[in-house]
Amino acid sequence: MRLWHSLALGLLLMVHTAMPAVAQEGSALSPRVLGEAALPGVMAKAVDDFVVPGYRDLSQSTALLVEATSALCRAPSEPALGTTRAAFSGVVRKWSAIEIVRLGPALEQNRFERFLFYPDRKSTGLKQVQAILAKGDETATEPGRLKTKSVAVQGLGALEYVLYGTGAEVLAGKNGDFRCRYGHAISQNLKAIAGELLAAWEKPDGIQAAWKKPGPGNPLFRDNKEAATELLGILVHSVEMVKDQRLRPFYAGAIDGKRDEGRPKLAIYWRSENTMPSISVNLRALQMLFNTAGMESLLPADSRSIAGSVNFLFKSLIGAADRIDGPIDAVLADEKQRATLDFIALNTADLLDRLNRDFGGAIGLGAGFSFADGD
């Protein structure tokens, strides 16, 4: 454990040393004028090279899931169940890469919650899914009626329970007919939502037009500062999500010097062992957005080292997440893997500060700019 804490401290010292003095002292950051020429191009690349391809990948993966569940229901077997579970994990990864864009079409018609209802703090959704399975509610097997039900019974969380939860072994045989048809309806619902999201972002005069052309007549961004705030906000809020909504619920680290035993069943996707793979994809997607959009070009020439530090932290966090393997209960029982979780928690906090304070301040959002405060 001491070795990992030393490595984490060393990483922080290396990053701070690499930063110029102006970036190490948030109060000393001087507001800069955002580059008028750079911002529209950055927003356009974010849409064309990250958001649209991300939703396209999600749409394709949900189509494969529909095919897999359909085949499983027609001819149940262990291999068919394995193929369906693999397709489910594929959707989890594609969703984890684009769920960071939690705005616009994703928030309309409760699409985000319908695709992924999490966290389920009181197990309300779990109980509703279990009730559907126990009662054999045929209305849940009809996609048109399923989408009118609780958001908790029509998305990834519900499908994970269908495929991996108590009694899921029946899916490999004829006794799993109802359970399989319910899972198939969920997969069709996920495909429909993914298609709606892709169509909304591909529409030339829709949200992509608003992103690409900030200005007085723009319904979303009246100027470049508002556009930059939205784009950087994706990074800031998503790193917060990883730190506070994906890691902390199942492991909070040492508390007042006492070991946290952890709560494995509060981890997202714990049944399918997709917890850490999804977190790794979240981080990879954020780094990809940062670099694909060319966000470094928004920085003044004397502050470009901030981008290097951000990328250094992303690389270190992704590598750490990839080293954690196995069921979450086993991870929490392993001292070395727990130390890696501590490392991730420590450095997501530092990455959040880099983006929120250093990058935001350097591009003119103000010294000590805080998305958390709604500034």
Side-chain angles (χ1 to χ4, degrees), residues 55-252:
Y55 280 126
R56 190 173 294 131
D57 287 346
L58 179 65
S59 183
Q60 292 172 351
S61 69
T62 56
L64 292 175
L65 179 62
V66 169
E67 292 177 8
T69 56
S70 177
L72 175 64
C73 295
R74 287 196 311 271
S77 67
E78 286 291 346
L81 177 56
T83 297
T84 302
R85 285 174 168 171
F88 170 82
S89 293
V91 173
V92 168
R93 284 163 173 75
K94 297 304 183 184
W95 169 251
S96 298
I98 198 63
E99 69 170 320
I100 62 172
V101 185
R102 191 170 184 171
L103 47 82
L107 299 183
E108 297 167 2
Q109 301 177 31
N110 293 321
R111 289 190 182 103
F112 192 97
E113 288 75 16
R114 288 170 55 214
F115 207 100
L116 175 64
F117 177 72
Y118 179 85
D120 184 10
R121 293 185 177 87
K122 297 182 179 180
S123 297
T124 303
L126 173 61
K127 293 172 184 176
Q128 291 175 351
V129 172
Q130 290 172 328
I132 286 174
L133 293 172
K135 296 175 182 178
D137 181 1
E138 287 291 341
T139 64
T141 66
E142 302 172 25
R145 300 181 72 174
L146 177 62
K147 71 178 184 179
T148 67
K149 293 181 180 293
S150 164
V151 296
V153 303
Q154 54 176 291
L156 286 176
L159 185 55
E160 184 186 39
Y161 188 83
V162 169
L163 295 175
Y164 296 89
T166 303
E169 64 276 1
V170 302
L171 290 169
K174 294 182 179 179
N175 291 336
D177 177 67
F178 172 78
R179 189 175 187 128
C180 192
R181 287 188 291 113
Y182 173 37
H184 182 53
I186 297 174
S187 68
Q188 290 175 294
N189 186 59
L190 293 172
K191 179 184 175 183
I193 296 170
E196 291 168 4
L197 290 167
L198 177 59
W201 277 96
E202 284 186 326
K203 188 177 180 182
D205 59 348
I207 187 171
Q208 68 161 268
W211 269 54
K212 292 177 179 180
K213 297 179 181 179
N218 189 314
L220 294 181
F221 311 125
R222 293 168 297 179
D223 55 36
N224 282 350
K225 181 178 179 179
E226 290 186 353
T229 299
E230 183 86 317
L231 184 59
L232 183 56
I234 291 176
L235 297 173
V236 170
H237 292 309
S238 296
V239 174
E240 286 180 326
M241 177 195 74
V242 170
K243 181 172 70 75
D244 296 333
Q245 296 180 18
R246 299 301 161 87
L247 289 171
R248 189 173 293 172
F250 75 88
Y251 180 66

Side-chain angles (χ1 to χ4, degrees), residues 25-32 356-357 360-362 364-370 375:
E25 300 177 19
S27 60
L29 282 169
S30 301
R32 308 294 182 91
N356 194 25
R357 184 194 64 173
L365 297 182
F369 180 85
S370 175
D375 293 338

Side-chain angles (χ1 to χ4, degrees), residues 20 22-23 29-35 38 294-308 358-365:
V22 67
L29 282 169
S30 301
R32 308 294 182 91
V33 177
L34 192 65
M295 291 182 68
E296 180 179 353
S297 67
L298 300 178
L299 291 164
D302 61 353
S303 297
R304 293 292 172 90
S305 61
I306 295 174
D358 297 340
F359 193 96
I363 67 173
L365 297 182

